[in-house]
Amino acid sequence: MTTLSVALAARWPEPVRALLVEADPSGGDIATRFSLESAPGLLSLAVAGRRSVDPALAWLHTQSLPGGLAVVSAPPDADRARAALLALTSDRPAHASGLRQVADQPGTAVIVDCGRVDAGSAAMPFVRAADVMVLLVRSRADDLAHLARRLPEVGGWARRSVLLLVGDGYSTTEVTRELGVPALGRVPDDVYGAAVLCGRPSGFRWRRGGPSHSPLGRFAHKVARTLTAQTEPALAPQQFAPVHQPPVLRAVPGVPDNLVAAQGLRPPPAPWPAQPGFDDGAPRGGAAS
């Protein structure tokens, strides 16, 4: 997820200024990958945030990645990362940390990498304050079956939610139809582009705004444009109303047949605007770190 977060922030459509915040309670990777200093970062922001909620505060605790992307990096140690997140959110709503105010400033976007998220995550206040939650899920039956059972809970975490698929498996069309959640596309299997976004040498160079010529960079730019252009909620909370039988995919190992809806399919979801350049519905490979 970190690699995709860097790609989204680096390729966010201009002239919007993007800020990347690493808020993974299990510890950060960006500082290590790009040989950044331990401060400024999430820890220093947590300390300063106790005394001020100035929207400009977050920018004072950033470092720059190649290409000029501003990032608030988390410490690699899980205990310190979690402590920083709790310090930012425990005494007040997530918006009081300043990140919500930053995102509300004209011409600004904040991308927060929350890592693996559950209801008890220290990053959950940031998810709840977000305009849109992007869920990264592998498109195999077992991963999708787990997600299907949690949709009533997950759907209430953020104002809008969308899926991005990783790896071989079900197509975006099948996932959208079965789960009733819009799947925007499949993350491309781009070894060289991912290497740039992880700080490793490769055949690509960072350019202003990010690795614009890599498949992963182009995909991230399309996703970012879709997220900014979509004015109506992509996923209304009522679409996740509790149901008597959880939505599941057909032929999921270990799932009794009686859990499958009639004809093995759920009713089609509400229409979702076609997005040119995304996955055409055919299963194909893809991976992201």
mmCIF file of all heavy atoms in Angstrom, residues 14-38:
data_model
loop_
_atom_site.group_PDB
_atom_site.id
_atom_site.type_symbol
_atom_site.label_atom_id
_atom_site.label_comp_id
_atom_site.label_asym_id
_atom_site.label_seq_id
_atom_site.Cartn_x
_atom_site.Cartn_y
_atom_site.Cartn_z
ATOM 1 N N GLU A 14 -1.894 18.194 -11.259
ATOM 2 C CA GLU A 14 -1.555 19.594 -11.020
ATOM 3 C C GLU A 14 -2.752 20.472 -11.363
ATOM 4 O O GLU A 14 -3.617 20.074 -12.148
ATOM 5 C CB GLU A 14 -0.336 19.972 -11.870
ATOM 6 C CG GLU A 14 0.919 19.214 -11.483
ATOM 7 C CD GLU A 14 2.117 19.627 -12.328
ATOM 8 O OE1 GLU A 14 1.915 20.320 -13.362
ATOM 9 O OE2 GLU A 14 3.250 19.280 -11.974
ATOM 10 N N PRO A 15 -2.869 21.655 -10.770
ATOM 11 C CA PRO A 15 -1.886 22.334 -9.921
ATOM 12 C C PRO A 15 -2.043 22.044 -8.439
ATOM 13 O O PRO A 15 -1.482 22.767 -7.607
ATOM 14 C CB PRO A 15 -2.171 23.806 -10.217
ATOM 15 C CG PRO A 15 -3.652 23.839 -10.412
ATOM 16 C CD PRO A 15 -4.002 22.553 -11.095
ATOM 17 N N VAL A 16 -2.801 21.000 -8.080
ATOM 18 C CA VAL A 16 -3.008 20.683 -6.667
ATOM 19 C C VAL A 16 -1.687 20.264 -6.033
ATOM 20 O O VAL A 16 -0.902 19.509 -6.621
ATOM 21 C CB VAL A 16 -4.058 19.564 -6.520
ATOM 22 C CG1 VAL A 16 -4.153 19.099 -5.069
ATOM 23 C CG2 VAL A 16 -5.404 20.046 -7.008
ATOM 24 N N ARG A 17 -1.440 20.759 -4.847
ATOM 25 C CA ARG A 17 -0.247 20.407 -4.094
ATOM 26 C C ARG A 17 -0.574 19.224 -3.191
ATOM 27 O O ARG A 17 -1.504 19.278 -2.382
ATOM 28 C CB ARG A 17 0.202 21.599 -3.248
ATOM 29 C CG ARG A 17 1.513 21.382 -2.485
ATOM 30 C CD ARG A 17 1.797 22.577 -1.595
ATOM 31 N NE ARG A 17 3.082 22.473 -0.929
ATOM 32 C CZ ARG A 17 3.482 23.258 0.068
ATOM 33 N NH1 ARG A 17 2.666 24.231 0.494
ATOM 34 N NH2 ARG A 17 4.656 23.092 0.626
ATOM 35 N N ALA A 18 0.174 18.131 -3.327
ATOM 36 C CA ALA A 18 -0.104 16.905 -2.582
ATOM 37 C C ALA A 18 0.822 16.767 -1.383
ATOM 38 O O ALA A 18 2.017 17.072 -1.456
ATOM 39 C CB ALA A 18 0.031 15.690 -3.488
ATOM 40 N N LEU A 19 0.257 16.285 -0.290
ATOM 41 C CA LEU A 19 1.003 15.972 0.920
ATOM 42 C C LEU A 19 0.772 14.501 1.237
ATOM 43 O O LEU A 19 -0.375 14.054 1.341
ATOM 44 C CB LEU A 19 0.537 16.838 2.087
ATOM 45 C CG LEU A 19 1.079 16.461 3.486
ATOM 46 C CD1 LEU A 19 2.584 16.645 3.548
ATOM 47 C CD2 LEU A 19 0.372 17.280 4.563
ATOM 48 N N LEU A 20 1.838 13.735 1.379
ATOM 49 C CA LEU A 20 1.756 12.322 1.733
ATOM 50 C C LEU A 20 2.078 12.156 3.211
ATOM 51 O O LEU A 20 3.116 12.624 3.681
ATOM 52 C CB LEU A 20 2.725 11.505 0.888
ATOM 53 C CG LEU A 20 2.854 10.008 1.230
ATOM 54 C CD1 LEU A 20 1.517 9.295 1.064
ATOM 55 C CD2 LEU A 20 3.935 9.355 0.373
ATOM 56 N N VAL A 21 1.184 11.501 3.939
ATOM 57 C CA VAL A 21 1.379 11.247 5.372
ATOM 58 C C VAL A 21 1.401 9.744 5.589
ATOM 59 O O VAL A 21 0.456 9.032 5.234
ATOM 60 C CB VAL A 21 0.266 11.887 6.219
ATOM 61 C CG1 VAL A 21 0.470 11.574 7.699
ATOM 62 C CG2 VAL A 21 0.224 13.394 5.993
ATOM 63 N N GLU A 22 2.476 9.264 6.172
ATOM 64 C CA GLU A 22 2.600 7.840 6.491
ATOM 65 C C GLU A 22 2.055 7.626 7.900
ATOM 66 O O GLU A 22 2.644 8.079 8.883
ATOM 67 C CB GLU A 22 4.066 7.421 6.398
ATOM 68 C CG GLU A 22 4.275 5.937 6.283
ATOM 69 C CD GLU A 22 5.735 5.565 6.059
ATOM 70 O OE1 GLU A 22 6.619 6.353 6.463
ATOM 71 O OE2 GLU A 22 5.992 4.510 5.484
ATOM 72 N N ALA A 23 0.912 6.929 7.980
ATOM 73 C CA ALA A 23 0.234 6.747 9.270
ATOM 74 C C ALA A 23 -0.024 5.267 9.533
ATOM 75 O O ALA A 23 -1.087 4.891 10.033
ATOM 76 C CB ALA A 23 -1.064 7.538 9.292
ATOM 77 N N ASP A 24 0.943 4.445 9.204
ATOM 78 C CA ASP A 24 0.811 2.997 9.398
ATOM 79 C C ASP A 24 1.213 2.640 10.828
ATOM 80 O O ASP A 24 2.376 2.819 11.213
ATOM 81 C CB ASP A 24 1.705 2.270 8.399
ATOM 82 C CG ASP A 24 1.471 0.764 8.390
ATOM 83 O OD1 ASP A 24 0.906 0.244 9.372
ATOM 84 O OD2 ASP A 24 1.862 0.113 7.411
ATOM 85 N N PRO A 25 0.278 2.126 11.651
ATOM 86 C CA PRO A 25 0.625 1.791 13.038
ATOM 87 C C PRO A 25 1.686 0.710 13.167
ATOM 88 O O PRO A 25 2.319 0.586 14.222
ATOM 89 C CB PRO A 25 -0.717 1.307 13.626
ATOM 90 C CG PRO A 25 -1.765 1.869 12.730
ATOM 91 C CD PRO A 25 -1.147 1.903 11.360
ATOM 92 N N SER A 26 1.908 -0.066 12.114
ATOM 93 C CA SER A 26 2.937 -1.108 12.173
ATOM 94 C C SER A 26 4.331 -0.569 11.892
ATOM 95 O O SER A 26 5.312 -1.318 11.936
ATOM 96 C CB SER A 26 2.605 -2.232 11.186
ATOM 97 O OG SER A 26 2.664 -1.770 9.852
ATOM 98 N N GLY A 27 4.438 0.737 11.622
ATOM 99 C CA GLY A 27 5.734 1.355 11.353
ATOM 100 C C GLY A 27 5.868 1.768 9.898
ATOM 101 O O GLY A 27 5.231 1.187 9.016
ATOM 102 N N GLY A 28 6.691 2.780 9.668
ATOM 103 C CA GLY A 28 6.845 3.319 8.329
ATOM 104 C C GLY A 28 7.983 2.700 7.548
ATOM 105 O O GLY A 28 8.909 2.119 8.115
ATOM 106 N N ASP A 29 7.908 2.841 6.233
ATOM 107 C CA ASP A 29 8.939 2.331 5.319
ATOM 108 C C ASP A 29 9.627 3.434 4.533
ATOM 109 O O ASP A 29 10.741 3.246 4.042
ATOM 110 C CB ASP A 29 8.317 1.344 4.315
ATOM 111 C CG ASP A 29 7.729 0.126 4.984
ATOM 112 O OD1 ASP A 29 8.381 -0.432 5.881
ATOM 113 O OD2 ASP A 29 6.607 -0.280 4.593
ATOM 114 N N ILE A 30 8.970 4.581 4.381
ATOM 115 C CA ILE A 30 9.466 5.598 3.461
ATOM 116 C C ILE A 30 10.818 6.141 3.881
ATOM 117 O O ILE A 30 11.720 6.327 3.053
ATOM 118 C CB ILE A 30 8.432 6.736 3.335
ATOM 119 C CG1 ILE A 30 7.181 6.215 2.613
ATOM 120 C CG2 ILE A 30 9.018 7.919 2.571
ATOM 121 C CD1 ILE A 30 6.069 7.233 2.487
ATOM 122 N N ALA A 31 10.995 6.417 5.167
ATOM 123 C CA ALA A 31 12.269 6.985 5.631
ATOM 124 C C ALA A 31 13.427 6.049 5.324
ATOM 125 O O ALA A 31 14.504 6.489 4.893
ATOM 126 C CB ALA A 31 12.197 7.284 7.132
ATOM 127 N N THR A 32 13.216 4.753 5.530
ATOM 128 C CA THR A 32 14.266 3.776 5.247
ATOM 129 C C THR A 32 14.511 3.645 3.751
ATOM 130 O O THR A 32 15.662 3.612 3.290
ATOM 131 C CB THR A 32 13.882 2.410 5.836
ATOM 132 O OG1 THR A 32 13.685 2.537 7.243
ATOM 133 C CG2 THR A 32 14.968 1.380 5.571
ATOM 134 N N ARG A 33 13.442 3.598 2.977
ATOM 135 C CA ARG A 33 13.578 3.408 1.535
ATOM 136 C C ARG A 33 14.311 4.560 0.864
ATOM 137 O O ARG A 33 15.078 4.353 -0.069
ATOM 138 C CB ARG A 33 12.196 3.251 0.906
ATOM 139 C CG ARG A 33 11.497 1.956 1.264
ATOM 140 C CD ARG A 33 10.098 1.893 0.635
ATOM 141 N NE ARG A 33 9.430 0.642 0.945
ATOM 142 C CZ ARG A 33 8.204 0.309 0.524
ATOM 143 N NH1 ARG A 33 7.546 1.172 -0.252
ATOM 144 N NH2 ARG A 33 7.673 -0.835 0.845
ATOM 145 N N PHE A 34 14.051 5.786 1.353
ATOM 146 C CA PHE A 34 14.633 6.958 0.703
ATOM 147 C C PHE A 34 15.730 7.620 1.534
ATOM 148 O O PHE A 34 16.136 8.739 1.239
ATOM 149 C CB PHE A 34 13.522 7.979 0.398
ATOM 150 C CG PHE A 34 12.576 7.533 -0.680
ATOM 151 C CD1 PHE A 34 11.408 6.876 -0.368
ATOM 152 C CD2 PHE A 34 12.879 7.750 -2.018
ATOM 153 C CE1 PHE A 34 10.533 6.455 -1.351
ATOM 154 C CE2 PHE A 34 12.019 7.335 -3.017
ATOM 155 C CZ PHE A 34 10.839 6.678 -2.682
ATOM 156 N N SER A 35 16.189 6.917 2.572
ATOM 157 C CA SER A 35 17.295 7.405 3.414
ATOM 158 C C SER A 35 17.011 8.802 3.965
ATOM 159 O O SER A 35 17.860 9.699 3.911
ATOM 160 C CB SER A 35 18.608 7.410 2.614
ATOM 161 O OG SER A 35 18.919 6.114 2.137
ATOM 162 N N LEU A 36 15.810 8.983 4.508
ATOM 163 C CA LEU A 36 15.439 10.257 5.102
ATOM 164 C C LEU A 36 15.934 10.346 6.542
ATOM 165 O O LEU A 36 16.235 9.337 7.186
ATOM 166 C CB LEU A 36 13.907 10.433 5.086
ATOM 167 C CG LEU A 36 13.220 10.369 3.718
ATOM 168 C CD1 LEU A 36 11.720 10.583 3.888
ATOM 169 C CD2 LEU A 36 13.807 11.386 2.750
ATOM 170 N N GLU A 37 15.994 11.562 7.053
ATOM 171 C CA GLU A 37 16.340 11.765 8.456
ATOM 172 C C GLU A 37 15.177 11.314 9.338
ATOM 173 O O GLU A 37 14.025 11.237 8.904
ATOM 174 C CB GLU A 37 16.645 13.244 8.718
ATOM 175 C CG GLU A 37 17.797 13.806 7.897
ATOM 176 C CD GLU A 37 19.132 13.217 8.306
ATOM 177 O OE1 GLU A 37 19.246 12.745 9.463
ATOM 178 O OE2 GLU A 37 20.066 13.227 7.474
ATOM 179 N N SER A 38 15.482 11.031 10.595
ATOM 180 C CA SER A 38 14.435 10.586 11.521
ATOM 181 C C SER A 38 13.471 11.709 11.867
ATOM 182 O O SER A 38 12.335 11.465 12.290
ATOM 183 C CB SER A 38 15.066 10.025 12.800
ATOM 184 O OG SER A 38 15.880 11.010 13.428
#
